[in-house]
């Protein structure tokens, strides 16, 4: 028994990186997936990959910064599979590589709209459905930048600290409703997002190389495995945690 066999689960940011790895892993474990990404071509490509491997999935093009699109994404999951049991709210963008006073208002707003408000819209509409069917499990993708500062990423660090706070607050709100809400806090994962962050902040890669006691960056699949565990009943007494999956980054 895998723990998510036949469960209806949403994965956002499924077109790349950690979300892609989660889509592959969760499908292998027998979940019925609703994959979502604002990049429709990459989203469709991953959908084909999941289906070719025998997985059950649909793709809904979704910009998580738009509450109406998030509501429609959740509605599509329920329309297709009859209910919603779990969600991995993972979509996000990197920082723009400026010091705090150099950030444009628009840099700040875009980050908050996607990484923080987008996560809120997902939780809100997912919980509405889970309350109707007696429970569920939600995992948000936070970051080590939600637990400590990551130099040169003020707007990203602020948004991810917001995701950490939101995760704890929502977990407490729905503890009695059999809805568990947790987050993973990845260290550096070599994905598109990290490559883009390094393009605007050339010192970032060198900095990140030195701060993981385990001596390497994470594979996306290692993040997906942690999210999977939090979604299963193996984690039935775990709620409100921000779980570092960071090779020891925050232990130093
Ligand atoms: N890569 C790292 O080192 C690292 C570290 C800590 C946390 N994270 C977090 O992990 C999550 C996934 O990042 P990744 O590294 O896999 O990046 P990635 O760029 O490889 O994948 C992110 C995906 O999210 C999608 N996306 C971006 N904005 C969206 C929006 N508004 N609506 C819907 N989809 C959107 C992108 O199209 C992309 O497919 C993010 O929340 C990120 O902040 C990444």
């Amino acid at each position: 028994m895998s723990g998510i066999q036949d469960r209806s689960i949403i994965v956002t940011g499924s077109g790349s990186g950690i979300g892609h790895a989660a889509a592959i892993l969760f499908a292998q474990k027998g979940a019925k997936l609703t994959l979502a990404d604002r990049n429709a071509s990459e989203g469709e490509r991953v959908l084909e990959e999941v289906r070719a491997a025998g997985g059950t999935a649909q793709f809904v093009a979704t910009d998580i910064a738009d509450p109406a699109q998030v509501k429609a994404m959740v509605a599509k999951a329920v329309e297709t599979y009859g209910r919603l049991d779990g969600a991995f709210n993972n979509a996000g963008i990197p920082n723009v590589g400026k010091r705090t006073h150099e950030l444009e208002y628009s840099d700040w707003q875009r980050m908050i709209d996607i990484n923080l408000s987008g996560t809120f819209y997902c939780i809100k509409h997912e919980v509405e459905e889970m309350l109707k069917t007696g429970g569920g499990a939600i995992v948000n993708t936070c970051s080590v930048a939600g637990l400590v500062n990551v130099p040169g990423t003020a707007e990203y660090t602020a948004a991810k600290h917001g995701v950490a706070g939101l995760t704890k607050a929502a977990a407490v709100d729905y503890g009695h409703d059999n809805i568990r809400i947790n987050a993973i806090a990845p260290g550096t994962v070599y994905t598109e997002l990290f490559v883009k962050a390094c393009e605007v902040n050339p010192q970032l890669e060198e900095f990140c190389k030195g701060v993981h006691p385990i001596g390497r960056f994470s594979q996306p699949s290692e993040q997906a495995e942690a999210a999977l565990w939090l979604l299963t009943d193996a984690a039935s007494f775990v709620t409100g945690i921000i779980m570092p999956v960071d090779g020891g980054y925050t232990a130093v």
Side-chain angles (χ1 to χ4, degrees):
M1 181 67 181
S2 73
I4 58 167
Q5 178 80 38
D6 291 329
R7 292 198 182 163
S8 164
I9 295 179
I10 288 171
V11 177
T12 71
S14 62
S16 175
I18 298 168
H20 175 202
I24 301 294
L25 179 66
F26 297 178
Q28 280 169 1
K29 300 294 181 186
K32 297 185 239 174
L33 296 175
T34 299
L35 306 176
D37 203 292
R38 69 173 172 190
N39 184 332
S41 58
E42 290 304 298
E44 294 286 358
R45 188 183 58 74
V46 171
L47 175 68
E48 285 319 308
E49 189 183 341
V50 167
R51 285 183 172 163
T56 302
Q58 63 181 347
F59 174 70
V60 187
T62 309
D63 181 347
I64 61 159
D66 179 345
Q69 291 188 38
V70 172
K71 193 172 181 188
M73 168 191 79
V74 173
K76 187 70 186 165
V78 174
E79 182 192 315
T80 303
Y81 303 123
R83 54 188 289 127
L84 182 67
D85 301 300
F88 183 33
N89 299 324
N90 164 77
I93 56 166
N95 59 293
V96 294
K98 298 175 188 167
R99 289 197 296 161
T100 305
H101 76 282
E102 296 164 337
L103 287 167
E104 302 292 343
Y105 297 143
S106 58
D107 296 328
W108 173 264
Q109 199 55 55
R110 182 163 180 268
M111 177 59 69
I112 298 300
D113 285 349
I114 297 176
N115 285 14
L116 181 53
S117 299
T119 305
F120 163 67
Y121 303 143
C122 288
I123 293 172
K124 172 179 164 61
H125 293 297
E126 291 156 0
V127 164
E128 281 170 356
E129 289 303 327
M130 291 174 177
L131 287 171
K132 294 178 192 166
T133 50
I138 294 173
V139 178
N140 303 315
T141 301
C142 186
S143 168
V144 289
L147 297 169
V148 296
N149 175 56
V150 173
T153 73
E155 83 282 28
Y156 185 82
T157 290
K160 291 296 189 180
H161 273 68
V163 170
L166 175 62
T167 300
K168 292 178 195 176
V172 172
D173 264 353
Y174 303 107
H176 287 280
D177 296 297
N178 193 33
I179 302 173
R180 295 182 302 102
I181 304 178
N182 292 290
I184 57 167
T188 303
V189 193
Y190 214 95
T191 62
E192 258 316 287
L193 180 142
F194 183 64
V195 170
K196 280 185 200 150
C198 291
E199 278 166 12
V200 293
N201 181 356
Q203 291 98 45
L204 190 64
E205 182 161 359
E206 221 32 58
F207 168 81
C208 288
K209 274 184 186 159
V211 291
H212 299 80
I214 218 163
R216 62 175 176 83
F217 294 155
S218 168
Q219 296 295 322
S221 60
E222 294 172 306
Q223 303 300 325
E225 289 283 359
L228 171 65
W229 181 73
L230 287 168
L231 285 170
T232 66
D233 296 348
S236 52
F237 202 59
V238 180
T239 198
I241 68 161
I242 317 302
M243 185 166 86
V245 188
D246 67 356
Y249 186 122
T250 53
V252 179

